[in-house]
Amino acid sequence: MKNFSDYGIFIPSGTSGHIRLTCPQCSPNRKKKYERCLSVDIDEGVWYCQHCGWHGGLGGTKKDAEKAERVFQKPHFVQSEITDKRVLDWFAGRGISAATLSAFHIKSGQAWMHGKNGGGETNTIQFPFYLGGEVVNVKYRTGDKRFRQEKNARKCLYNFDMAMTSTSDRLLICEGEMDCLALYEAGFRGVVSVPDGAPPADAKSYSTKFEFLEGAKQLFDKFKWIVLAVDNDAPGKKLEDELSRRLGKQRCLRVAWPNGCKDANDVLVQHGKDTLYSCIMNAELYPIDGVKSVIDLWGAMFDLRHRPPQPGAEIGWENGHGLLNIETGQMTVVTGIPSHGKSTYIDALRVNLFRDYGWPSAVFSPENWPSEDHLRNLVCMYCHRDYYELTDDELYNELYAVKDAFFFIQPERDDDMMNVDTILSRAKDLVYRNGIKVLIIDPWNEVEHSIPAGQREDQYISIQLAKIRRFARVHGVHIFIIAHPRTLEKNKDGEYPVPTAYDIAGGAMWRNKADNILCVFRPDVKSGAVEVHIQKIRFRRNGKAGAMLRYVYHVGTYAYIDKGSVE
């Protein structure tokens, strides 16, 4: 029997069930060549491409092809009114009227659902997702709160089409279809729900939870304000934080539900439409940057009881434990003698942050172009293998594993001016679409700088660093800036000293503006020994200034071997 690879379909190792990949038939010739348009059911051994229609099965028979089309066809939804009194009574008990059910085209009926004993046909409530007047997905719910969506369905916001017709200046985002219906009952039309709920509070990687953002920009651009009406629990807080980070806190408002209410539907049931309406209309903006009131800090004071003393992410090597961690919303300056490995060390660090925490990252690094060479190094760091030892199948698997991890910012044309504003603009788009949590500017001297007439270099640097640091705080991104020192003089022993931020042009500003400062130094280039000197830590929770981390660098796999630390 043939394998998927015989058809040019390479399945990542250790995967099962239903996945989406690029199509070997049409993707290489498409503008969106990396769009995952091929749906593969590994267990059934069938596939179907939503773009070109290519389908088949491992058996290669007509029956297999028919099964592929049957498994991956677009959702078909027949509109009909709910007549089952038990279902209508259940909705009525949740404050939802028959008129609202009709407006959302909700129906009830038999559908196949997973269960403790395998699964089978059972009674369900069915919520259709409309996009451009077409049903692109259906979510099924049972009385005992089991959920299922259509296979291969388009991920979009629930109630997208109705929200597009709203004349309000507020778009409400909630966490479930029932909350969406409840807010409709309270008089709101510009209301949508995320399709997959909130990510678990302890989730490290949850990029697929935000696939609905693709193609939703037109909806968000239509509204002045975005009200985050999510659940009052830990997953809801995580969803709120991530949505506000991606959409921009300056236009997001937060809702406070009455005590004892978890979500909008709870408020409707316990307090009625008027109270739910008031909750939304009294939603508050995020605090003004630099200004905090007691009310602003109210929730944070209770969260503080449960916050770990070290909120940042570990760097991935044991020698950094207690001496250095990476917290979003900060700016770290990295300096060092040219060719001592500043860029390579930060690359290894961003690989660790993705492997351990699922943090995607972006880099502006002209010294590492072309990007495929840079990606090769990152892949080697990720899999701890030499690039040329990987087979084609292994390379495919590794690329698939990091497909949501690394992004490269570079000019589209030779005459593009990549100044700080341009880089931050691209990074803002990546925060929205891909949720990046790390941005690297490498090196500073390759950024296009136009110092205004009459402005000193140190004044210019101060303004630009303040702009970068504000971006980090507003968007919840950790920004690394790699800056070369000016020409260094050797000491009396003929050795270069360990550079500091003061050795960078405009040094005092670098020292003052940075939250953290690292120096990557190689005392003996031939031995592969590497020292990372921690020269500044603004907040003690993030590490210890004056400490030094020791490594040995392995050229073939770009790996840093932990050799301890010195405090």
Side-chain angles (χ1 to χ4, degrees):
M1 183 175 176
K2 291 187 175 182
N3 297 316
F4 281 110
S5 59
D6 294 322
Y7 296 92
I9 303 171
F10 295 96
I11 306 298
S13 58
T15 56
S16 60
H18 174 254
I19 63 172
R20 298 189 66 168
L21 304 169
T22 56
C23 174
Q25 298 293 312
C26 68
S27 293
N29 301 316
R30 294 184 61 195
K31 184 176 181 180
K32 296 182 178 180
K33 60 179 60 183
Y34 299 114
E35 184 177 46
R36 291 171 289 172
C37 54
L38 183 71
S39 297
V40 183
D41 192 318
I42 299 172
D43 301 330
E44 292 284 346
V46 295
W47 63 86
Y48 181 80
C49 178
Q50 285 293 314
H51 182 257
C52 69
W54 179 56
H55 55 265
L58 294 182
T61 65
K62 181 179 180 181
K63 183 178 180 181
D64 288 322
E66 290 174 347
K67 180 188 287 186
E69 289 188 283
R70 184 170 67 253
V71 171
F72 300 114
Q73 65 183 349
K74 288 185 177 180
H76 180 61
F77 192 81
V78 179
Q79 181 180 336
S80 63
E81 300 292 330
I82 296 178
T83 58
D84 190 326
K85 186 177 183 302
R86 293 172 302 173
V87 177
L88 292 172
D89 288 346
W90 182 85
F91 274 109
R94 303 303 303 171
I96 309 301
S97 67
T100 294
L101 299 179
S102 178
F104 283 79
H105 308 305
I106 296 168
K107 61 178 268 190
S108 63
Q110 291 279 309
W112 194 95
M113 298 290 287
H114 290 285
K116 294 181 180 179
N117 298 319
E121 294 287 327
T122 188
N123 291 323
T124 63
I125 298 168
Q126 301 170 13
F127 301 89
F129 286 63
Y130 283 88
L131 191 61
E134 178 185 3
V135 176
V136 297
N137 190 10
V138 180
K139 182 179 284 189
Y140 302 88
R141 170 180 174 152
T142 65
D144 56 354
K145 297 194 72 171
R146 285 180 286 151
F147 296 90
R148 175 177 75 80
Q149 297 185 45
E150 290 279 352
K151 278 190 174 183
N152 195 40
R154 169 76 180 272
K155 292 295 184 183
C156 72
L157 290 159
Y158 181 66
N159 200 40
F160 187 103
D161 280 7
M162 184 188 295
M164 283 294 294
T165 67
S166 172
T167 58
S168 171
D169 65 351
R170 293 187 176 199
L171 174 68
L172 283 54
I173 303 180
C174 57
E175 199 173 317
E177 293 76 28
M178 293 299 294
D179 295 326
C180 198
L181 303 183
L183 290 164
Y184 180 89
E185 290 281 356
F188 298 101
R189 300 299 178 263
V191 53
V192 293
S193 170
V194 296
D196 295 316
D202 58 351
K204 292 182 178 179
S205 180
Y206 42 84
S207 59
T208 57
K209 286 281 189 180
F210 294 89
E211 288 182 354
F212 62 83
L213 290 174
E214 185 71 29
K217 192 173 186 299
Q218 60 172 327
L219 177 65
F220 297 129
D221 289 346
K222 174 181 168 63
F223 296 89
K224 180 179 179 181
W225 304 107
I226 297 175
V227 181
L228 303 178
V230 296
D231 288 7
N232 182 27
D233 57 16
K237 177 62 176 174
K238 194 177 191 74
L239 177 63
E240 178 187 283
D241 289 345
E242 188 67 10
L243 283 173
S244 65
R245 189 176 76 88
R246 294 193 183 206
L247 300 176
K249 288 187 177 181
Q250 72 280 1
R251 60 188 298 223
C252 289
L253 296 93
R254 299 179 294 181
V255 176
W257 302 125
N259 189 35
C261 293
K262 177 187 175 186
D263 52 34
N265 194 222
D266 278 355
V267 179
L268 178 65
V269 172
Q270 297 181 35
H271 300 279
K273 297 178 183 180
D274 291 344
T275 299
L276 179 55
Y277 181 86
S278 296
C279 287
I280 298 301
M281 298 311 295
N282 291 325
E284 295 184 349
L285 284 165
Y286 277 78
I288 300 171
D289 193 23
V291 178
K292 301 283 186 182
S293 69
V294 172
I295 297 300
D296 294 332
L297 298 171
W298 193 281
M301 289 300 295
F302 287 92
D303 292 342
L304 193 61
R305 295 173 178 269
H306 309 290
R307 182 187 302 171
Q310 176 195 304
E314 294 284 359
I315 64 173
W317 295 284
E318 285 293 329
N319 61 4
H321 187 70
L323 301 179
L324 179 64
N325 65 80
I326 308 302
E327 186 174 343
T328 55
Q330 296 186 3
M331 180 179 73
T332 295
V333 172
V334 183
T335 191
I337 297 170
S339 300
H340 274 217
K342 300 182 294 296
S343 303
T344 310
Y345 180 76
I346 297 302
D347 273 346
L349 176 53
R350 67 193 282 225
V351 167
N352 289 349
L353 290 173
F354 176 73
R355 180 189 291 112
D356 296 341
Y357 299 94
W359 286 14
S361 59
V363 63
F364 169 74
S365 184
E367 291 184 348
N368 280 305
W369 291 341
S371 297
E372 55 266 30
D373 288 349
H374 197 172
L375 179 57
R376 174 198 61 202
N377 300 347
L378 293 167
V379 168
C380 292
M381 290 176 175
Y382 182 81
C383 66
H384 303 298
R385 297 274 302 279
D386 187 292
Y387 177 77
Y388 295 101
E389 292 179 356
L390 296 170
T391 65
D392 284 351
D393 284 358
E394 289 172 333
L395 177 59
Y396 182 95
N397 290 340
E398 299 302 339
L399 288 172
Y400 190 86
V402 301
K403 60 183 172 51
D404 299 318
F406 308 123
F407 300 89
F408 305 89
I409 298 174
Q410 59 187 58
E412 295 182 2
R413 302 181 305 273
D414 291 340
D415 59 347
D416 276 356
M417 305 291 284
M418 298 299 292
N419 54 30
V420 168
D421 289 337
T422 304
I423 295 169
L424 294 183
S425 176
R426 303 269 177 90
K428 183 178 179 180
D429 291 339
L430 286 168
V431 170
Y432 169 77
R433 292 185 56 180
N434 305 100
I436 65 165
K437 288 195 172 182
V438 175
L439 172 65
I440 302 161
I441 300 175
D442 174 26
W444 177 255
N445 65 297
E446 288 283 357
V447 177
E448 186 69 30
H449 299 294
S450 297
I451 302 178
Q455 191 174 92
R456 300 193 313 269
E457 182 182 20
D458 61 328
Q459 293 174 325
Y460 168 81
I461 291 173
S462 177
I463 292 170
Q464 299 304 309
L465 292 183
K467 184 187 303 181
I468 292 169
R469 191 173 67 179
R470 175 176 172 77
F471 182 94
R473 281 154 172 64
V474 169
H475 296 285
V477 174
H478 193 104
I479 300 181
F480 293 93
I481 303 177
I482 297 178
H484 298 312
R486 293 168 295 190
T487 303
L488 296 172
E489 295 184 3
K490 294 182 178 181
N491 58 29
K492 62 182 180 180
D493 297 324
E495 303 289 341
Y496 285 111
V498 176
T500 70
Y502 291 112
D503 294 309
I504 309 170
M509 293 303 170
W510 292 97
R511 175 73 190 182
N512 295 339
K513 296 290 185 180
D515 293 306
N516 314 293
I517 298 175
L518 306 177
C519 176
V520 179
F521 184 73
R522 300 182 68 177
D524 181 1
V525 176
K526 293 182 180 179
S527 70
V530 178
E531 299 172 353
V532 176
H533 295 257
I534 304 172
Q535 297 179 340
K536 178 184 177 181
I537 296 290
R538 184 182 297 276
F539 304 107
R540 285 185 295 176
R541 66 179 182 264
N542 298 126
K544 185 173 183 180
M548 181 181 70
L549 312 179
R550 289 175 165 171
Y551 304 90
V552 170
Y553 176 63
H554 184 268
V555 177
T557 58
Y558 303 91
Y560 285 82
I561 311 302
D562 183 345
K563 290 296 180 182
S565 60
V566 176
E567 297 185 41

